[in-house]
Amino acid sequence: MKLSGMNLKLCNATHNGSQASLIISFIENGTTLKPADKTLNNSISLMTKEGLKLERKIRNSAKALIIQDGRMLALKHKDDQDVYYTLPGGTQNAGEALTDAVKREVAEEIGVDVEPLSLEFVNEGVYGEALHRVDFFFLCKYRGMLNHANLHNEQAHEAYEWLEIQDIMEQPLNPSKLRKQIQQLVAGEKTVMYLGNEEHEDSE
């Protein structure tokens, strides 16, 4: 998790008739908070739902759904003893098309060349994070490894793995709403593009 441009702000919020002091972290150029960051997530979620004025920004993120031979490429993360997976990709820059963003981010993260084919899913994180996050998931064609990739190694993920799509419901994929939709997409069944707001208790 990048913490550049982070400001801490002490705020008072009224909740159930009592005063609670909440420390809020504003991450101007950060990445998504990990699911394990429950204290900070819950504090931010409480304050936004209480209607308090927060100087939050919207961040677009372009993600790659890379499917080949019945498997899906995913980043593997380890938080203490827990392991979870996410799709590769990251923040869209100003002046950059989403399709260009997903190609660049995948190349920087894992040195893989992809060709975006179609926008399949959209997911939001309206509450619970310092940023209002909007994730765009593109179905991408795997074109191979890049010979001279400029990798931006991050401690947040260890490596990438090819996960069997038939077993994806048992995998800790984040966001979890994607699992069923990916299986239906591969099976040629009807899918839902807009997955709504991602809640931390989602377990679909």
Side-chain angles (χ1 to χ4, degrees), residues 69-84:
D69 300 327
R71 298 184 300 166
M72 180 192 76
L73 191 151
L75 296 179
K76 180 181 180 181
H77 304 257
K78 182 174 289 187
D79 178 36
D80 294 329
Q81 301 300 319
D82 295 326
V83 172
Y84 64 97

Side-chain angles (χ1 to χ4, degrees), residues 62-66 72-73 87-89 102 106 114 136-140:
K63 302 280 188 174
L65 174 57
I66 306 167
M72 180 192 76
L73 191 151
L87 296 188
V102 73
V106 174
V114 297
F136 298 87
F137 296 90
F138 288 86
L139 179 64
C140 294

